[in-house]
PDB file of all heavy atoms in Angstrom:
ATOM      1  N   VAL A1438     -49.212 -21.477   4.373  1.00 96.00           N
ATOM      2  CA  VAL A1438     -50.639 -21.508   4.701  1.00 96.00           C
ATOM      3  C   VAL A1438     -50.832 -21.647   6.232  1.00 96.00           C
ATOM      4  O   VAL A1438     -51.713 -20.981   6.801  1.00 96.00           O
ATOM      5  CB  VAL A1438     -51.359 -22.691   3.943  1.00 96.00           C
ATOM      6  CG1 VAL A1438     -52.758 -22.938   4.511  1.00 96.00           C
ATOM      7  CG2 VAL A1438     -51.411 -22.359   2.458  1.00 96.00           C
ATOM      8  N   SER A1439     -50.107 -22.497   6.842  1.00 96.00           N
ATOM      9  CA  SER A1439     -50.196 -22.667   8.299  1.00 96.00           C
ATOM     10  C   SER A1439     -49.849 -21.391   9.041  1.00 96.00           C
ATOM     11  O   SER A1439     -50.390 -21.081  10.133  1.00 96.00           O
ATOM     12  CB  SER A1439     -49.384 -23.826   8.825  1.00 96.00           C
ATOM     13  OG  SER A1439     -48.046 -23.579   8.795  1.00 96.00           O
ATOM     14  N   ARG A1440     -48.916 -20.577   8.474  1.00 94.00           N
ATOM     15  CA  ARG A1440     -48.482 -19.385   9.142  1.00 94.00           C
ATOM     16  C   ARG A1440     -49.332 -18.152   8.794  1.00 94.00           C
ATOM     17  O   ARG A1440     -49.589 -17.326   9.660  1.00 94.00           O
ATOM     18  CB  ARG A1440     -47.007 -19.098   8.742  1.00 94.00           C
ATOM     19  CG  ARG A1440     -46.372 -18.000   9.521  1.00 94.00           C
ATOM     20  CD  ARG A1440     -44.892 -18.022   9.359  1.00 94.00           C
ATOM     21  NE  ARG A1440     -44.376 -17.057  10.294  1.00 94.00           N
ATOM     22  CZ  ARG A1440     -43.109 -16.867  10.487  1.00 94.00           C
ATOM     23  NH1 ARG A1440     -42.222 -17.658   9.889  1.00 94.00           N
ATOM     24  NH2 ARG A1440     -42.659 -15.969  11.338  1.00 94.00           N
ATOM     25  N   TYR A1441     -49.768 -18.042   7.508  1.00 94.00           N
ATOM     26  CA  TYR A1441     -50.425 -16.828   7.081  1.00 94.00           C
ATOM     27  C   TYR A1441     -51.868 -17.025   6.625  1.00 94.00           C
ATOM     28  O   TYR A1441     -52.546 -16.098   6.223  1.00 94.00           O
ATOM     29  CB  TYR A1441     -49.665 -16.165   5.902  1.00 94.00           C
ATOM     30  CG  TYR A1441     -48.250 -15.817   6.288  1.00 94.00           C
ATOM     31  CD1 TYR A1441     -47.192 -16.506   5.717  1.00 94.00           C
ATOM     32  CD2 TYR A1441     -48.011 -14.800   7.187  1.00 94.00           C
ATOM     33  CE1 TYR A1441     -45.868 -16.186   6.067  1.00 94.00           C
ATOM     34  CE2 TYR A1441     -46.675 -14.481   7.511  1.00 94.00           C
ATOM     35  CZ  TYR A1441     -45.629 -15.151   6.958  1.00 94.00           C
ATOM     36  OH  TYR A1441     -44.310 -14.846   7.346  1.00 94.00           O
ATOM     37  N   GLY A1442     -52.348 -18.330   6.611  1.00 96.00           N
ATOM     38  CA  GLY A1442     -53.709 -18.589   6.138  1.00 96.00           C
ATOM     39  C   GLY A1442     -53.698 -18.820   4.646  1.00 96.00           C
ATOM     40  O   GLY A1442     -52.627 -18.913   4.025  1.00 96.00           O
ATOM     41  N   SER A1443     -54.885 -18.928   4.075  1.00 96.00           N
ATOM     42  CA  SER A1443     -55.012 -19.144   2.626  1.00 96.00           C
ATOM     43  C   SER A1443     -54.430 -17.957   1.847  1.00 96.00           C
ATOM     44  O   SER A1443     -54.573 -16.834   2.267  1.00 96.00           O
ATOM     45  CB  SER A1443     -56.467 -19.339   2.238  1.00 96.00           C
ATOM     46  OG  SER A1443     -56.960 -20.487   2.862  1.00 96.00           O
ATOM     47  N   PRO A1444     -53.811 -18.261   0.705  1.00 96.00           N
ATOM     48  CA  PRO A1444     -53.239 -17.148  -0.097  1.00 96.00           C
ATOM     49  C   PRO A1444     -54.360 -16.287  -0.658  1.00 96.00           C
ATOM     50  O   PRO A1444     -55.488 -16.729  -0.897  1.00 96.00           O
ATOM     51  CB  PRO A1444     -52.456 -17.887  -1.179  1.00 96.00           C
ATOM     52  CG  PRO A1444     -52.981 -19.261  -1.241  1.00 96.00           C
ATOM     53  CD  PRO A1444     -53.580 -19.551   0.091  1.00 96.00           C
ATOM     54  N   MET A1445     -53.980 -15.043  -0.920  1.00 94.00           N
ATOM     55  CA  MET A1445     -54.966 -14.103  -1.541  1.00 94.00           C
ATOM     56  C   MET A1445     -55.115 -14.426  -3.048  1.00 94.00           C
ATOM     57  O   MET A1445     -56.084 -14.065  -3.643  1.00 94.00           O
ATOM     58  CB  MET A1445     -54.471 -12.680  -1.365  1.00 94.00           C
ATOM     59  CG  MET A1445     -54.425 -12.260   0.096  1.00 94.00           C
ATOM     60  SD  MET A1445     -53.934 -10.522   0.254  1.00 94.00           S
ATOM     61  CE  MET A1445     -55.478  -9.775  -0.202  1.00 94.00           C
ATOM     62  N   TYR A1446     -54.057 -15.029  -3.633  1.00 94.00           N
ATOM     63  CA  TYR A1446     -54.105 -15.330  -5.049  1.00 94.00           C
ATOM     64  C   TYR A1446     -53.426 -16.697  -5.210  1.00 94.00           C
ATOM     65  O   TYR A1446     -52.444 -17.001  -4.549  1.00 94.00           O
ATOM     66  CB  TYR A1446     -53.315 -14.296  -5.852  1.00 94.00           C
ATOM     67  CG  TYR A1446     -53.134 -14.650  -7.305  1.00 94.00           C
ATOM     68  CD1 TYR A1446     -54.159 -14.416  -8.174  1.00 94.00           C
ATOM     69  CD2 TYR A1446     -51.949 -15.219  -7.735  1.00 94.00           C
ATOM     70  CE1 TYR A1446     -54.042 -14.739  -9.521  1.00 94.00           C
ATOM     71  CE2 TYR A1446     -51.841 -15.558  -9.051  1.00 94.00           C
ATOM     72  CZ  TYR A1446     -52.860 -15.325  -9.939  1.00 94.00           C
ATOM     73  OH  TYR A1446     -52.692 -15.668 -11.275  1.00 94.00           O
ATOM     74  N   LEU A1447     -53.993 -17.527  -6.098  1.00 93.00           N
ATOM     75  CA  LEU A1447     -53.415 -18.839  -6.292  1.00 93.00           C
ATOM     76  C   LEU A1447     -53.693 -19.281  -7.751  1.00 93.00           C
ATOM     77  O   LEU A1447     -54.789 -19.146  -8.207  1.00 93.00           O
ATOM     78  CB  LEU A1447     -54.089 -19.859  -5.350  1.00 93.00           C
ATOM     79  CG  LEU A1447     -53.756 -21.344  -5.485  1.00 93.00           C
ATOM     80  CD1 LEU A1447     -52.336 -21.595  -5.111  1.00 93.00           C
ATOM     81  CD2 LEU A1447     -54.671 -22.124  -4.520  1.00 93.00           C
ATOM     82  N   ASP A1448     -52.648 -19.695  -8.425  1.00 92.00           N
ATOM     83  CA  ASP A1448     -52.764 -20.314  -9.756  1.00 92.00           C
ATOM     84  C   ASP A1448     -51.728 -21.439  -9.808  1.00 92.00           C
ATOM     85  O   ASP A1448     -51.003 -21.625  -8.861  1.00 92.00           O
ATOM     86  CB  ASP A1448     -52.631 -19.283 -10.881  1.00 92.00           C
ATOM     87  CG  ASP A1448     -51.260 -18.762 -11.102  1.00 92.00           C
ATOM     88  OD1 ASP A1448     -50.251 -19.437 -10.778  1.00 92.00           O
ATOM     89  OD2 ASP A1448     -51.170 -17.666 -11.696  1.00 92.00           O
ATOM     90  N   PRO A1449     -51.711 -22.217 -10.886  1.00 90.00           N
ATOM     91  CA  PRO A1449     -50.766 -23.385 -10.930  1.00 90.00           C
ATOM     92  C   PRO A1449     -49.259 -23.025 -10.790  1.00 90.00           C
ATOM     93  O   PRO A1449     -48.410 -23.827 -10.472  1.00 90.00           O
ATOM     94  CB  PRO A1449     -51.047 -24.030 -12.265  1.00 90.00           C
ATOM     95  CG  PRO A1449     -52.435 -23.629 -12.562  1.00 90.00           C
ATOM     96  CD  PRO A1449     -52.607 -22.211 -12.034  1.00 90.00           C
ATOM     97  N   ARG A1450     -48.905 -21.721 -11.080  1.00 91.00           N
ATOM     98  CA  ARG A1450     -47.474 -21.367 -11.066  1.00 91.00           C
ATOM     99  C   ARG A1450     -47.105 -20.545  -9.901  1.00 91.00           C
ATOM    100  O   ARG A1450     -45.950 -20.424  -9.564  1.00 91.00           O
ATOM    101  CB  ARG A1450     -47.149 -20.582 -12.369  1.00 91.00           C
ATOM    102  CG  ARG A1450     -47.243 -21.387 -13.637  1.00 91.00           C
ATOM    103  CD  ARG A1450     -46.802 -20.667 -14.764  1.00 91.00           C
ATOM    104  NE  ARG A1450     -45.539 -19.920 -14.408  1.00 91.00           N
ATOM    105  CZ  ARG A1450     -44.410 -20.000 -15.097  1.00 91.00           C
ATOM    106  NH1 ARG A1450     -44.353 -20.713 -16.186  1.00 91.00           N
ATOM    107  NH2 ARG A1450     -43.392 -19.342 -14.724  1.00 91.00           N
ATOM    108  N   SER A1451     -48.045 -19.900  -9.182  1.00 93.00           N
ATOM    109  CA  SER A1451     -47.680 -19.006  -8.073  1.00 93.00           C
ATOM    110  C   SER A1451     -48.847 -18.729  -7.149  1.00 93.00           C
ATOM    111  O   SER A1451     -49.992 -19.058  -7.476  1.00 93.00           O
ATOM    112  CB  SER A1451     -47.130 -17.737  -8.629  1.00 93.00           C
ATOM    113  OG  SER A1451     -48.173 -16.979  -9.305  1.00 93.00           O
ATOM    114  N   CYS A1452     -48.496 -18.147  -6.019  1.00 96.00           N
ATOM    115  CA  CYS A1452     -49.531 -17.711  -5.092  1.00 96.00           C
ATOM    116  C   CYS A1452     -48.897 -16.554  -4.263  1.00 96.00           C
ATOM    117  O   CYS A1452     -47.691 -16.366  -4.257  1.00 96.00           O
ATOM    118  CB  CYS A1452     -49.998 -18.815  -4.179  1.00 96.00           C
ATOM    119  SG  CYS A1452     -48.666 -19.608  -3.239  1.00 96.00           S
TER     120      CYS A1452
END
Side-chain angles (χ1 to χ4, degrees):
V1438 167
S1439 70
R1440 189 164 188 176
Y1441 301 111
S1443 296
M1445 296 184 76
Y1446 174 81
L1447 175 66
D1448 72 23
R1450 293 186 45 126
S1451 66
C1452 58

